[in-house]
Amino acid sequence: MSAINQIAEKTRLSYVTVAEILRGRKGYNAKTCQRVLKLARELNYQPNYLGKALAGGRSMSIGVIISSLDSPIEVGKLKEIEFQASANGYRCYLLTHHSFLFAQPADAQPTLADSLNDLIQRRIDGLMVYVVHPLPREVLAILRKATIPVVHIDWAPPEAQQVIRIERQAALRDLAKHLAGLGHRRAVFHQRAPGRMIQPLQKALRKENLHLEAPPEWSTTGHSPDFETQACALASERFRQGDVPPLLICHLDQAAVGVLAACHDAGLKVPQDISLVGWGGLPCAQTCRPQLTTVREPGVGVGEQAFKWLDMLMRKTKDIAGCTTFAAHLTIASTTGQCAGGIL
Amino acid sequence: MSAINQIAEKTRLSYVTVAEILRGRKGYNAKTCQRVLKLARELNYQPNYLGKALAGGRSMSIGVIISSLDSPIEVGKLKEIEFQASANGYRCYLLTHHSFLFAQPADAQPTLADSLNDLIQRRIDGLMVYVVHPLPREVLAILRKATIPVVHIDWAPPEAQQVIRIERQAALRDLAKHLAGLGHRRAVFHQRAPGRMIQPLQKALRKENLHLEAPPEWSTTGHSPDFETQACALASERFRQGDVPPLLICHLDQAAVGVLAACHDAGLKVPQDISLVGWGGLPCAQTCRPQLTTVREPGVGVGEQAFKWLDMLMRKTKDIAGCTTFAAHLTIASTTGQCAGGIL
DNA sequence: CTGAAAGCGCTAACAC
DNA sequence: GTGTTAGCGCTTTCAG
């Protein structure tokens, strides 16, 4: 028998009366309340949210889909979202996209679509989607059918109503100008895996007559979250092969730090022998030597804004489609210099 | 009306029959099944987990309390736990301990105790607690009253039954011997805030006649997750004041990397002028130059093991108290050298 | 193979 | 101020 029933019995009150007192509704006899509350404490009464949610139609929980937790960029936003949610009485279901992170047969792995479905079945009140790359079509299909409020950060499907965009055009343009000004004409992109991040970069560089390549031998194949060491090993190997591009742009600061180590080991001077650009504006970009020229992604504020928006949607305060933008910024430091034209 | 009812009406079957077919129970007429499933698809039927959980007594969700998300050590374990949970049909409620991370009046912040209570009210099936420092007594009181299975990683209250311990004694002893062998007699500990991590270290060092201090001026006061930059700034300031301890032990590799940068800026040679020890065995320890001597915390496997254990408890397969241990290991690299005895 | 009835713990609407 | 009744969507038990 449920605790409320027990209390109701002992106090000879009705179930509902007890329930309402417990829920904090005012207007009841003070003594009655005291008796009820005392008993509740003795029984260690814990209201059951499942029943509450079932009857009340709101689960007070949200889903947070986040593409990975491998860089502070993502983790920072997760933290903010979780904090805001918590402060507003919501709990977060975490959903990461690690389909490739662990070596397991692909068909044994639950897909993102399955997991999302699961969340919907749990009747989350809202969903936060923070991904850099487009979501698989099955996932989009689910999103379309579900009627819960969704706020996207960064990438969003065309039909999305609520989006927090990350504007990188200006930063990329600045970067291109900066590099062109140093005499660079050719750049190599070091990436984790072929991705879409490269296209806007390529476009921006082309406007300044800079040619960007992303040759497979500069692409990391593994899927470990250890960007630094992977990049270091890869770059060391490239350098050993005599492949020293005058300008290397890395997909993440952590990777650039790894390359920096490889340069050190190979006796290459940065930026005299090779120029290096990072991505993210992470702390490590400031504490490596030389300091990294990098594109700083927006940090503090994004997650908070995103949650506030979702909250509004969930309360149906407003239902307007909209789009807030946070901008990335170029940070010029010491890893970019005059093009070491002679080498290649 | 619920989707099941609709289907039951149209097919002229009973509610329960439809529900069971939908739940995948075998033994029904094949044609009946097909009709039901077809309708379900048309109606985009999504079983309601809240009802399921309420009736079934299991919510298929677990709570994950994790002290912070500021270092890859913690995030890595979270990822593993989330992955394992997901693969076993459980969803994770994330709970971080950011009471101090955001500048807000303390009383406006939901406490960890409140959040934990909330999770219990949501009837999580199990709880994972991964904290380095002791939990507040209110939280422990809640844990004691609740009857859900709990698995602790690292710190655990004395009464805890299931604990994954992280054994650091041996590594600390090795570290102490290594440092003593280099002629060191005095060390300064650089930390984020006064904590308990220092005591075992102090003890281990004392056995080798090494004296460890943790003076407040080497302690970071802020609470930003940006260890590298903070440590760099702090160390720079200390060096400027002429405070160059012959041996500095940092509470985290990231902080050590920051100090390394400060050394570089101050013209101090590592390890000739100052020896540096990190903590964690993070990727950045391998990609800074010189590479960090560090205490490598156990990484891959801990989260997985922890979840497997929790899973066993939740299924009540076994109920034995127990304790698995993962060990930390000393990694000797290039930031520790002969004591620069002359300076102080 | 199918169905009826009771109950999980809670809320909402309305009566007294 | 307090009680009654119905229902949220699902599972379980037992009867046919």
Side-chain angles (χ1 to χ4, degrees):
Chain A
M1 186 186 352
S2 86
I4 292 194
N5 271 313
Q6 288 182 45
I7 299 178
E9 237 174 40
K10 287 201 190 166
T11 55
R12 316 201 60 184
L13 293 166
S14 87
Y15 180 96
V16 174
T17 306
V18 174
E20 299 213 300
I21 290 177
L22 251 24
R23 220 183 315 153
R25 180 155 156 180
K26 305 202 322 181
Y28 286 94
N29 187 317
K31 282 202 175 171
T32 315
C33 290
Q34 288 198 352
R35 282 199 309 154
V36 168
L37 293 174
K38 182 154 170 285
L39 276 173
R41 222 170 303 123
E42 285 172 15
L43 291 170
N44 190 28
Y45 168 68
Q46 296 278 24
N48 184 327
Y49 241 90
L50 296 172
K52 206 178 263 213
L54 189 57
R58 306 187 345 148
S59 68
M60 293 307 283
S61 60
I62 64 172
V64 181
I65 295 185
I66 198 154
S67 40
S68 93
L69 296 177
D70 293 332
S71 97
I73 304 180
E74 289 133 349
V75 174
K77 297 194 180 45
L78 172 61
K79 264 170 47 181
E80 270 188 39
I81 294 169
E82 204 268 317
F83 178 74
Q84 290 297 330
S86 191
N88 287 277
Y90 288 90
R91 290 271 86 88
C92 291
Y93 278 120
L94 175 61
L95 219 62
T96 356
H97 200 28
H98 28 204
S99 36
F100 43 56
L101 282 180
F102 296 84
Q104 292 216 354
D107 51 350
Q109 291 183 29
T111 67
L112 182 58
D114 294 336
S115 304
L116 177 55
N117 240 316
D118 188 303
L119 287 191
I120 288 172
Q121 294 174 186
R122 284 159 195 265
R123 299 298 188 264
I124 49 173
D125 294 330
L127 181 68
M128 202 91 229
V129 178
Y130 174 29
V131 291
V132 182
H133 298 298
L135 290 169
R137 53 171 57 232
E138 319 90 69
V139 174
L140 291 179
I142 296 173
L143 242 40
R144 224 170 288 128
K145 276 187 204 153
T147 53
I148 51 170
V150 181
V151 170
H152 292 266
I153 303 179
D154 209 350
W155 183 84
E159 70 265 28
Q161 298 294 296
Q162 273 72 27
V163 184
I164 305 229
R165 293 210 181 278
I166 299 187
E167 150 62 30
R168 304 186 174 90
Q169 299 280 1
L172 291 179
R173 192 199 53 216
D174 293 348
L175 175 64
K177 288 196 173 154
H178 168 64
L179 295 173
L182 290 169
H184 289 280
R185 306 301 297 268
R186 189 171 88 77
V188 164
F189 189 59
H190 166 60
Q191 57 190 340
R192 182 193 192 132
R196 311 223 167 184
M197 221 175 82
I198 194 177
Q199 283 164 16
L201 174 63
Q202 210 156 28
K203 206 172 142 193
L205 291 176
R206 197 175 297 133
K207 274 203 183 146
E208 299 292 332
N209 290 317
L210 253 143
H211 177 67
L212 181 73
E213 295 168 48
E217 64 271 21
W218 275 100
S219 180
T220 310
T221 48
H223 288 300
S224 115
D226 183 348
F227 299 107
E228 290 97 323
T229 317
Q230 274 188 5
C232 181
L234 182 77
S236 292
E237 176 57 21
R238 296 317 307 152
F239 295 158
R240 205 173 300 126
Q241 306 270 341
D243 179 8
V244 183
L247 169 60
L248 189 65
I249 303 182
C250 297
H251 73 300
L252 198 62
D253 287 339
Q254 287 158 293
V257 167
V259 173
L260 215 48
C263 291
H264 179 275
D265 296 348
L268 292 168
K269 287 213 171 121
V270 180
Q272 291 84 345
D273 300 328
I274 177 173
S275 282
L276 224 52
V277 175
W279 197 293
L282 308 183
C284 67
Q286 285 181 63
T287 50
C288 57
R289 295 292 178 268
Q291 289 180 304
L292 271 180
T293 292
T294 185
V295 176
R296 179 163 44 80
E297 289 273 320
V300 177
V302 178
E304 182 174 341
Q305 176 65 48
F307 179 81
K308 282 193 178 152
W309 210 342
L310 185 58
D311 195 35
M312 274 173 49
L313 290 177
M314 292 189 298
R315 297 175 197 237
K316 304 204 199 290
T317 313
K318 296 189 177 186
D319 204 3
I320 350 163
C323 169
T324 309
T325 298
F326 285 78
H329 292 284
L330 175 64
T331 302
I332 297 179
S334 318
T335 52
T336 41
Q338 287 294 328
C339 179
I343 295 195
L344 264 182
Chain B
M1 187 185 353
S2 86
I4 292 195
N5 271 312
Q6 289 182 45
I7 299 178
E9 237 175 40
K10 287 201 190 165
T11 55
R12 317 202 61 186
L13 293 166
S14 87
Y15 180 95
V16 175
T17 306
V18 174
E20 299 214 299
I21 290 178
L22 251 24
R23 220 183 319 150
R25 181 156 156 178
K26 308 201 320 182
Y28 285 94
N29 187 317
K31 281 203 176 171
T32 315
C33 290
Q34 287 198 354
R35 280 201 308 155
V36 169
L37 293 174
K38 181 154 170 284
L39 276 173
R41 223 170 303 122
E42 285 173 16
L43 291 171
N44 190 26
Y45 167 68
Q46 296 279 24
N48 185 326
Y49 241 90
L50 296 171
K52 207 178 262 215
L54 190 56
R58 303 185 348 146
S59 68
M60 294 307 282
S61 60
I62 65 172
V64 181
I65 296 185
I66 199 155
S67 40
S68 93
L69 296 178
D70 294 332
S71 97
I73 304 180
E74 289 133 351
V75 174
K77 297 192 180 49
L78 172 61
K79 264 171 44 180
E80 269 187 39
I81 293 169
E82 204 267 317
F83 178 74
Q84 290 297 330
S86 191
N88 286 276
Y90 288 90
R91 290 271 88 86
C92 290
Y93 278 120
L94 175 62
L95 218 60
T96 357
H97 200 28
H98 29 203
S99 37
F100 43 56
L101 281 181
F102 295 84
Q104 292 215 354
D107 52 350
Q109 290 185 28
T111 66
L112 181 59
D114 294 336
S115 304
L116 177 54
N117 240 316
D118 188 302
L119 287 191
I120 289 172
Q121 295 175 187
R122 284 159 194 264
R123 298 298 187 266
I124 49 173
D125 294 330
L127 182 67
M128 202 92 230
V129 179
Y130 174 29
V131 290
V132 182
H133 297 298
L135 290 170
R137 54 171 56 233
E138 319 89 69
V139 175
L140 290 179
I142 296 173
L143 241 40
R144 224 169 289 128
K145 276 189 204 151
T147 52
I148 51 171
V150 181
V151 170
H152 292 267
I153 303 179
D154 210 350
W155 183 85
E159 70 265 26
Q161 298 293 296
Q162 273 73 27
V163 185
I164 305 233
R165 293 210 180 279
I166 299 187
E167 149 64 28
R168 304 185 176 91
Q169 299 280 0
L172 291 178
R173 191 199 55 216
D174 292 347
L175 175 64
K177 288 195 173 156
H178 168 64
L179 295 173
L182 291 168
H184 289 281
R185 306 300 298 269
R186 189 172 88 77
V188 164
F189 190 57
H190 166 59
Q191 58 190 339
R192 181 191 193 133
R196 312 223 165 185
M197 220 175 84
I198 194 177
Q199 283 165 17
L201 174 62
Q202 211 157 27
K203 206 172 143 192
L205 291 177
R206 197 175 296 132
K207 275 202 181 147
E208 299 291 332
N209 290 317
L210 252 144
H211 177 67
L212 181 72
E213 296 167 47
E217 66 270 21
W218 274 100
S219 180
T220 310
T221 49
H223 289 300
S224 115
D226 183 348
F227 298 107
E228 290 98 324
T229 318
Q230 274 187 4
C232 181
L234 182 77
S236 292
E237 175 58 22
R238 297 316 307 152
F239 295 158
R240 206 173 298 127
Q241 304 271 341
D243 179 9
V244 182
L247 169 60
L248 189 65
I249 303 181
C250 297
H251 73 299
L252 198 63
D253 287 339
Q254 287 158 294
V257 167
V259 173
L260 216 48
C263 291
H264 179 273
D265 297 346
L268 292 168
K269 288 213 170 119
V270 180
Q272 292 84 345
D273 300 328
I274 177 173
S275 281
L276 224 52
V277 175
W279 197 292
L282 308 183
C284 67
Q286 285 181 64
T287 50
C288 57
R289 294 294 178 266
Q291 289 180 303
L292 271 180
T293 292
T294 184
V295 176
R296 179 164 46 79
E297 288 273 320
V300 178
V302 178
E304 181 174 343
Q305 176 64 48
F307 179 81
K308 281 192 178 153
W309 210 343
L310 185 58
D311 194 36
M312 273 172 49
L313 290 175
M314 292 189 297
R315 296 174 197 236
K316 304 203 199 289
T317 313
K318 294 190 179 184
D319 204 3
I320 350 162
C323 169
T324 309
T325 298
F326 285 78
H329 291 285
L330 174 65
T331 303
I332 297 180
S334 318
T335 53
T336 40
Q338 288 293 329
C339 179
I343 295 195
L344 264 183

